[in-house]
Amino acid sequence: MKKYKHIVNPDKKMGHINPETQGHFSEHLGRCIYEGIYVGENSDIPNKNGMRTDVVEALKEMKLPVLRWPGGCFADEYHWMDGIGDKASRKKMINTNWGGVVEDNSFGTHEFMELCEQLGCKTYVNGNVGSGTVREMSEWVEYMTFSGVSPMADLRKKNGREEPWTVDYFGVGNESWGCGGNMLPEYYADLFRHYQTFVRNYNPEKKIKKIAVGPSDKNYNWTEVLLNKCFQGEGQFPQNYGYMNGLSLHYYTLPYDWSKKGAATGFNEKEWYMTLSKTLFMDELLTKHSAIMDRYDPEERIGLIVDEWGTWYDVEEGTNPGFLYQQNTMRDALVAGINLNLFNKHCRRVHMANIAQVVNVLQAVILTEGEQMLKTPTYHVFKMYSAHQDNELLESSIDTKQIGIEEQYMVPNLSESASVAEDGRIHITITNLSISEDYEIESNLLGREIKGVKAEIVTGKMDAHNTFEDKENVKTVPFDAVRADQDKLIYVIPACSVLHIEVEV
Ligand code: AHR
């Protein structure tokens, strides 16, 4: 069996891995918020202040670092004032983007902040540019973050919250090139400059990071025009620095295209490789958008914020097409592992990423059915990769060969990344993209004597998934087959798997 050489250089630190690169997204869409997370205080499903205890516990265990809310497309139709105060008298609205269902606004700002407090995670609130006013956005920020005496701070106190909350990230619109207003980049750039002015920083100790709407996929023109316009006048006001802390990027992995996406389960080998090759396109997107950003921001102060990514399949049969409910298999585990490795590799520019979406929507880490809950293969990968959070990325590379069925959908057989934690332990994550072939790997830690090794793996058949009848079909299990020899690790990675090795040196 050929040995694939993997080199990890513990002396070469390549950048900091922000925990937020393993972030999540929760929209008022289908059964994500309602049922999936929030069931209300009077529900029979065990909850704390309306939040499902089982889901909160599972997400905490996975170390969810940051949550984006309330959308998505929903954000540009959301009027935050409808979601505060007495629940019985909150306005009801139509969720026009997602199934035309009634939104009763029972989950609003206070509930989102309560959820994040329970999760112990950072907050990413997405504002409304598409159908909201500058005043509305400005007042929301005042309501959430101002500690003194003001109309909005007083209203918050009247609604039961004395202390302001921390808003870590604030999105100035969402997909303004599409559902957020069908704007051109020139127009949005002016709106961004305008709206963000009134996203005030009331607490200089906890400055809000402002995120501008960035491109979808390979719309490099959007990135170029937006940055160009936002950096104009910089000479006069260098402290403005493009007015932004982050620029978003949305890229979804569809096996086919938007008219026929492909099924979440029961797919064939060709569709496996199609999906993985499409997800690997993320690397090119990160590289090319970063190259444009480098010209305006060579110091890498502005983060590329991949705040929507993941697989998007045809919905499960018999479910509401507007609810985007899909199953999650080993293929999704691979998509997660590959992308999280890429975010690590690009950590100097990628400061945050939010998979879509946390519960019951698209590539979810959790699925629920009534009072039942299951963890998907993607969940197990996220939990495994949490070992990289807050580490320093290490220089690393691996030998690969191209595999696949059709020329245009060939993929490298392996993907990897490595980091070092504060305690000196090295964490390696490797994915095997082949459906059928195991590979022998020799990881060389360049002269570091290996004192201890622990490994865990998520593996299974390409279509393996968890159901409410069999919730643990796919799960993380210990992997004892890693042999240490001085500064080398030797092991065979099974087909279709995501592996994490923790090394004490
Ligand atoms: O995640 C689902 C939707 O995809 C979001 O609402 C939107 O921003 C994107 O088009």
Side-chain angles (χ1 to χ4, degrees):
M1 194 187 250
K2 174 183 158 58
K3 241 187 220 159
Y4 286 82
K5 299 264 184 215
H6 178 218
I7 311 279
V8 177
N9 186 351
D11 292 323
K12 200 110 190 249
K13 295 186 177 158
M14 306 299 288
H16 185 73
I17 299 175
N18 233 0
E20 285 94 311
T21 53
Q22 297 178 12
H24 290 259
F25 170 34
S26 56
E27 181 167 8
H28 288 239
L29 194 178
R31 298 185 301 115
C32 181
I33 297 285
Y34 299 111
E35 280 185 54
I37 295 172
Y38 182 73
V39 286
E41 286 121 359
N42 300 326
S43 170
D44 290 340
I45 299 175
N47 69 83
K48 184 175 165 203
N49 299 330
M51 312 298 156
R52 287 183 75 128
T53 319
D54 53 354
V55 170
V56 168
E57 282 312 310
L59 295 177
K60 270 166 70 178
E61 231 178 81
M62 193 191 67
K63 297 208 173 81
L64 181 145
V66 62
L67 193 60
R68 177 177 181 233
W69 172 83
C73 296
F74 182 80
D76 278 299
E77 265 187 332
Y78 183 61
H79 300 286
W80 69 273
M81 283 226 184
D82 298 346
I84 55 169
D86 173 37
K87 282 199 184 171
S89 40
R90 289 188 193 176
K91 267 191 207 163
K92 295 188 172 48
M93 68 182 275
I94 316 165
N95 191 333
T96 53
N97 285 289
W98 307 117
V101 294
V102 175
E103 162 63 57
D104 70 1
N105 276 306
S106 55
F107 188 96
T109 305
H110 290 249
E111 290 73 23
F112 173 67
M113 293 297 183
E114 162 75 21
L115 171 64
C116 291
E117 277 173 3
Q118 288 190 23
L119 292 170
C121 73
K122 291 196 172 167
T123 57
Y124 177 6
V125 176
N126 211 113
N128 177 349
V129 169
S131 69
T133 62
V134 174
R135 176 175 179 177
E136 187 180 357
M137 186 178 285
S138 173
E139 288 187 337
W140 198 9
V141 173
E142 181 187 322
Y143 185 88
M144 292 185 285
T145 61
F146 186 56
S147 62
V149 176
S150 80
M152 291 303 116
D154 292 350
L155 183 58
R156 183 191 68 236
K157 290 173 196 167
K158 195 175 135 228
N159 287 331
R161 173 77 186 195
E162 190 63 31
E163 292 302 311
W165 295 286
T166 300
V167 174
D168 296 289
Y169 297 91
F170 192 88
V172 183
N174 169 72
E175 297 197 347
S176 303
W177 36 263
C179 65
N182 287 309
M183 301 171 198
L184 298 174
E186 291 80 0
Y187 179 66
Y188 173 73
D190 282 333
L191 284 190
F192 172 72
R193 292 177 67 126
H194 181 181
Y195 274 66
Q196 70 74 37
T197 309
F198 301 93
V199 176
R200 302 284 188 205
N201 270 308
Y202 292 106
N203 185 348
E205 303 298 312
K206 291 180 185 161
K207 281 199 169 167
I208 300 171
K209 293 197 168 77
K210 300 174 190 178
I211 314 295
V213 171
S216 169
D217 307 22
K218 53 184 183 200
N219 188 349
Y220 301 113
N221 182 54
W222 182 280
T223 303
E224 179 68 54
V225 171
L226 184 65
L227 289 175
N228 185 292
K229 287 205 77 174
C230 287
F231 272 88
Q232 274 175 38
E234 249 335 271
Q236 243 177 316
F237 304 109
Q239 73 279 8
N240 290 341
Y241 212 75
Y243 304 99
M244 66 183 81
N245 305 99
L247 174 74
S248 76
L249 165 68
H250 289 183
Y251 175 62
Y252 284 100
T253 300
L254 284 66
Y256 291 93
D257 56 36
W258 288 105
S259 56
K260 173 193 186 288
K261 301 176 191 85
T265 54
F267 49 86
N268 60 33
E269 297 194 357
K270 182 180 149 195
E271 289 166 321
W272 165 276
Y273 288 111
M274 281 170 80
T275 309
L276 298 191
S277 77
K278 291 198 174 181
T279 219
L280 279 157
F281 184 55
M282 180 68 90
D283 196 17
E284 180 173 327
L285 290 175
L286 298 179
T287 305
K288 291 192 173 167
H289 285 294
S290 296
I292 299 170
M293 294 175 81
D294 287 348
R295 279 194 277 111
Y296 293 91
D297 168 33
E299 296 164 11
E300 293 165 315
R301 279 163 57 182
I302 299 176
L304 186 53
I305 307 296
V306 192
D307 55 14
E308 289 189 30
W309 70 274
T311 54
W312 193 321
Y313 306 122
D314 296 327
V315 297
E316 293 302 315
E317 239 181 80
T319 64
N320 186 328
F323 282 13
L324 311 185
Y325 179 73
Q326 63 189 41
Q327 247 299 356
N328 194 293
T329 67
M330 272 309 298
R331 179 174 57 168
D332 297 271
L334 265 291
V335 166
I338 290 167
N339 279 284
L340 293 178
N341 278 341
L342 287 173
F343 300 149
N344 282 352
K345 295 271 181 195
H346 288 268
C347 68
R348 287 175 62 89
R349 183 59 81 184
V350 177
H351 297 178
M352 174 160 68
N354 310 71
I355 191 170
Q357 299 191 5
V358 68
V359 185
N360 289 334
V361 170
L362 300 175
Q363 193 178 345
V365 289
I366 283 177
L367 302 179
T368 66
E369 203 175 85
E371 59 178 21
Q372 298 213 68
M373 180 207 89
L374 66 79
K375 298 167 180 169
T376 66
T378 300
Y379 174 95
H380 293 290
V381 172
F382 266 80
K383 189 169 171 212
M384 197 182 247
Y385 275 64
S386 68
H388 286 299
Q389 288 187 15
D390 246 337
N391 292 0
E392 296 302 312
L393 178 75
L394 293 177
E395 184 182 74
S396 64
S397 62
I398 194 162
D399 277 353
T400 56
K401 69 169 177 178
Q402 290 295 110
I403 55 169
I405 291 172
E406 277 183 16
E407 192 59 37
Q408 69 189 119
Y409 301 121
M410 299 297 273
V411 296
N413 56 341
L414 299 162
S415 105
E416 63 74 51
S417 67
S419 69
V420 59
E422 234 189 344
D423 63 6
R425 283 168 200 261
I426 293 174
H427 294 271
I428 298 170
T429 44
I430 306 209
T431 63
N432 181 348
L433 284 67
S434 170
I435 302 169
S436 50
E437 255 192 287
D438 305 344
Y439 302 108
E440 184 169 15
I441 301 178
E442 182 184 282
S443 296
N444 186 335
L445 273 62
L446 300 183
R448 292 292 159 98
E449 202 200 318
I450 294 164
K451 299 195 186 121
V453 183
K454 242 176 31 196
E456 50 182 356
I457 195 164
V458 180
T459 189
K461 296 261 178 283
M462 67 176 184
D463 191 21
H465 56 276
N466 295 332
T467 61
F468 292 98
E469 291 70 48
D470 187 1
K471 292 183 190 163
E472 305 226 324
N473 182 36
V474 179
K475 63 177 181 199
T476 307
V477 292
F479 184 70
D480 302 324
V482 182
R483 183 165 62 82
D485 179 9
Q486 292 172 29
D487 63 349
K488 296 187 186 66
L489 300 166
I490 298 138
Y491 49 98
V492 174
I493 184 168
C496 189
S497 59
V498 183
L499 173 65
H500 166 219
I501 308 174
E502 180 183 322
V503 195
E504 197 188 330
V505 286

